[in-house]
Amino acid sequence: MRLLEPGEAIEAVYAVFGRSVAERVLRESSMVELGDLHGRLIAEPVKALIPLPPTVRSTLDGFAVSASSLAGASNSNPVALRISGYSRIGDSRALDLGYGECIQVDTGAIIPRGADAVIPLEDVVVDGGYALFTYTPQPGSGLALPASDVAPGDLIAPRGARGYPDLVAALASQGFRFVKASRRVRVAVFSSGDELLEPGSQYRVGGVYESNRYYLKNVLGVLGYDVVDLGIVPDDFNLVRETLYKASELADIVITSGGTSVGLKDYIYRILDSEGSVVVRGLRVKPGKPTIIGLLKGTPVVGIPGNPRATVNITWNFLIPLLDRLGLPALLKDPIVGEAVLATPVTLDRRRRLSLPLATVRSKKGLIAFPVAVESYMISSLPKADSKAELEGGLEVDAGSFIRVLSYRFPEQTLIALTDTRLLDLGVFESRVVTSIVEDAAPVIEMLEGSKVKILLSSIQLGGGVGLPGKVLWSSKRKIVKIGTTSCRRVAVFKPYTKLHTGGLVVDRAETALTLLNQGYTQCSVIPEDYARDSHTVVEELGLEDVLLVDMA
């Protein structure tokens, strides 16, 4: 049996076990309080209950204005607006902005009706009851639009998601106190060797105090595993065999230290080969070559050499990535610095560095990075991130740019949604859903070729003659309706499905468009028919081409 690279060995083990260990654990689930999710798997899909933000909110301390009222404002020609009120954070009411007025707002406060931008306090001079403005803001600047983080029904956690702290925070932000989750994964650990001494015992010449087992126990404990410690086993075939069988009955995974090589008293391989099965024997690494992975009574067994440095090396460069591949709790020891291609453009602040969370997938083009939780108020989308990038202040980083990324978690199974995620039940795919709204999907599809992800998109985003390198799994036709009154001065558009050119505020989420309409910030909205209510007046029906789900595997 030839020596395998760690990555090859992981795939060989996955081909045998798949996610069977995770499925075994998920079969034993119960309602669990959020504070106890560490080391557990989410047992059923969890979807958002409320939109975040629930209404239009300010992203900074400043003054809410109508951009059109400041046309022509400059340093040499400041425009004065009367300060007509103060919208404080925590107030439930939305104030109304009149002509020639501005309203002071706190970060997180509700934006007054009639306002479409917020100008920072530091850019404004207050003179008596008036505020002086020296520039015209872009409509939408300083606003957190409703449901721009997450909309009701959006998938927060797929089945099998791991209870990491950012997921706990996302669930808490939705008001969940309890969710259905698995028990913790049980791992049995023991060391074999006549020379081994238990720490705290009397030292004897020729003996070695056992440290590998303690190292493994602490690493697995940090990850949230329930560790069954079976101690030190002498180099006796029957005792090693008995302990292996006991471990396979007590735990979901067995990890042994020592006894994996070809010496006369190295029994782990012999037992697995004769009474179970051997999946991998030997890794092309140093230290740690005699690592063995097998199966005994349906339980995976990972045998790690007894050399202490081998234990450390194999733990982080093979065992932890293997646990991750099997869908079990796993985290990188040290962040990995690398390079990725940015999938969509990112707007920057001229004056501040941006710490940007990213969801990454690997394709033929290399590592592809999708921005998530791009604004500081976003929390529900943060669990999708596995990496981050530090971007210096400026104007914009274009799609297709190479950026330096810091990966702090293993990438997960991913579904890239280039359009509304509520068009089908994405919870059935047991994947993280990364929403990245684009008008032209062709460049993103090209980036993702060979990535083994699924893509949700509308054929209207493809343009003429763009082929799909993957298999279309699902398609549907939907109508889009424009709703509201016949007088549409400001329109919120559900952008991905339309080529409409409208003035005023333009947003790209159906839930946002509907909320803006219902709360009186807009006169009309363009949304999927599913979102319309009996109280809405249909002004015009617009055709929508197929919505597609494409498998890029």
Side-chain angles (χ1 to χ4, degrees):
M1 188 176 291
R2 76 177 181 90
L3 296 180
L4 299 180
E5 296 287 349
E8 293 179 303
I10 287 169
E11 291 307 313
V13 174
Y14 182 79
V16 174
F17 295 111
R19 299 211 167 202
S20 60
V21 179
E23 286 301 320
R24 178 195 302 179
V25 173
L26 283 165
R27 285 195 289 270
E28 298 180 45
S29 302
S30 61
M31 297 304 292
V32 176
E33 202 269 338
L34 289 190
D36 196 29
L37 278 184
H38 180 56
R40 301 178 187 270
L41 307 178
I42 302 299
E44 57 189 17
V46 183
K47 298 180 181 180
L49 302 175
I50 58 174
L52 289 179
T55 186
V56 194
R57 296 185 183 273
S58 176
T59 63
L60 46 87
D61 296 328
F63 286 90
V65 299
S66 171
S68 61
S69 68
L70 296 179
S74 66
N75 287 322
S76 59
N77 182 39
V79 173
L81 298 178
R82 186 174 69 86
I83 304 172
S84 62
Y86 188 178
S87 180
R88 291 178 168 83
I89 188 169
D91 286 349
S92 59
R93 60 197 176 95
L95 303 177
D96 289 299
L97 183 69
Y99 179 77
E101 296 178 342
C102 64
I103 292 177
Q104 189 171 350
V105 293
D106 292 333
T107 301
I110 294 176
I111 294 296
R113 285 185 290 265
D116 58 13
V118 176
I119 294 181
L121 278 176
E122 58 267 29
D123 292 350
V124 180
V125 174
V126 176
D127 184 7
Y130 287 82
L132 301 179
F133 301 90
T134 58
Y135 63 87
T136 305
Q138 288 292 322
S141 60
L143 305 186
L145 294 173
S148 53
D149 183 13
V150 65
D154 280 357
L155 188 66
I156 300 292
R159 182 177 182 272
R162 291 164 277 202
Y164 295 139
D166 46 8
L167 177 58
V168 172
L171 294 170
S173 74
Q174 282 290 314
F176 290 102
R177 180 69 182 276
F178 295 89
V179 293
K180 192 172 184 182
S182 74
R183 61 168 172 83
R184 291 188 171 89
V185 185
R186 287 191 290 268
V187 178
V189 179
F190 71 89
S191 295
S192 63
D194 289 337
E195 77 283 7
L196 298 179
L197 303 175
E198 192 67 46
S201 66
Q202 181 66 41
Y203 180 76
R204 60 176 170 77
V205 176
V208 177
Y209 283 120
E210 206 283 318
S211 62
N212 294 344
R213 192 172 98 258
Y214 285 89
Y215 184 84
L216 290 165
K217 285 167 57 178
N218 276 270
V219 170
L220 294 166
V222 168
L223 294 176
Y225 287 77
D226 281 341
V227 181
V228 182
D229 184 1
L230 296 179
I232 297 172
V233 182
D235 285 327
D236 178 280
F237 180 87
N238 290 328
L239 288 177
V240 173
R241 179 180 180 275
E242 179 184 327
T243 306
L244 264 179
Y245 272 93
K246 180 181 180 181
S248 68
E249 293 172 356
L250 291 175
D252 305 300
I253 299 175
V254 178
I255 301 176
T256 72
S257 172
T260 63
S261 193
V262 293
L264 292 176
K265 293 187 176 182
D266 290 327
Y267 299 127
I268 300 297
Y269 169 74
R270 299 180 197 178
I271 295 168
L272 291 177
D273 190 40
S274 61
E275 303 184 35
S277 62
V278 174
V279 180
V280 173
R281 187 184 185 191
L283 297 178
R284 194 168 175 267
V285 296
K286 183 180 180 179
K289 171 188 170 183
T291 299
I292 184 170
I293 304 94
L295 184 69
L296 186 67
K297 293 189 67 176
T299 302
V301 178
V302 179
I304 299 176
N307 183 294
R309 279 284 292 110
T311 297
V312 175
N313 185 39
I314 294 302
T315 295
W316 291 106
N317 294 315
F318 176 74
L319 177 61
I320 300 300
L322 174 63
L323 296 176
D324 174 70
R325 187 70 173 96
L326 299 179
L328 305 174
L331 289 171
L332 291 168
K333 179 183 179 183
D334 299 306
I336 297 174
V337 179
E339 192 175 61
V341 180
L342 189 63
T344 57
V346 175
T347 301
L348 302 174
D349 188 307
R350 293 173 184 243
R351 295 171 288 191
R352 294 182 293 173
R353 175 188 296 176
L354 174 64
S355 181
L356 179 65
L358 300 164
T360 62
V361 296
R362 191 164 292 281
S363 75
K364 291 180 179 179
K365 299 285 186 181
L367 197 65
I368 311 298
F370 289 83
V372 297
V374 294
E375 299 291 345
S376 58
Y377 63 86
M378 295 180 171
I379 185 63
S380 291
S381 49
L382 189 58
K384 305 176 193 301
D386 53 62
S387 306
K388 68 175 182 177
E390 300 291 331
L391 303 177
E392 294 297 333
L395 296 176
E396 184 172 275
V397 182
D398 295 330
S401 300
F402 286 91
I403 57 174
R404 182 176 179 269
V405 299
L406 196 68
S407 298
Y408 51 82
R409 201 159 69 200
F410 295 99
E412 301 177 9
Q413 293 186 91
T414 304
L415 188 155
I416 303 295
L418 302 180
T419 186
D420 180 21
T421 61
R422 296 187 66 193
L423 291 177
L424 76 165
D425 184 3
L426 298 179
V428 303
F429 293 103
E430 299 183 16
S431 301
R432 65 173 172 177
V433 177
V434 176
T435 302
S436 186
I437 302 297
V438 295
E439 289 189 21
D440 183 5
V444 178
I445 292 172
E446 183 182 358
M447 288 182 193
L448 292 174
E449 187 172 357
S451 62
K452 300 182 180 179
V453 302
K454 293 180 175 62
I455 305 176
L456 180 68
L457 74 157
S458 168
S459 59
I460 202 171
Q461 296 171 289
L462 294 174
V466 177
L468 290 171
K471 177 183 178 183
V472 176
L473 302 177
W474 178 90
S475 65
S476 174
K477 287 195 175 185
R478 299 291 174 103
K479 284 183 180 178
I480 286 186
V481 294
K482 183 166 67 176
I483 58 179
T485 65
T486 54
S487 175
C488 298
R489 289 183 295 104
R490 185 182 292 119
V491 180
V493 179
F494 182 36
K495 202 171 181 179
Y497 294 126
T498 74
K499 296 295 181 182
L500 297 182
H501 297 280
T502 61
L505 193 61
V506 179
V507 295
D508 61 9
R509 293 293 299 276
E511 192 72 29
T512 304
L514 183 60
T515 304
L516 288 169
L517 177 75
N518 290 338
Q519 294 179 350
Y521 293 99
T522 63
Q523 287 74 48
C524 297
S525 291
V526 178
I527 63 171
E529 189 177 28
D530 295 0
Y531 286 79
R533 307 289 185 267
D534 292 339
S535 59
H536 298 145
T537 302
V538 177
V539 176
E540 179 184 358
E541 291 193 359
L542 304 169
L544 169 62
E545 298 188 30
D546 285 342
V547 176
L548 311 174
L549 182 68
V550 181
D551 192 342
M552 300 294 285

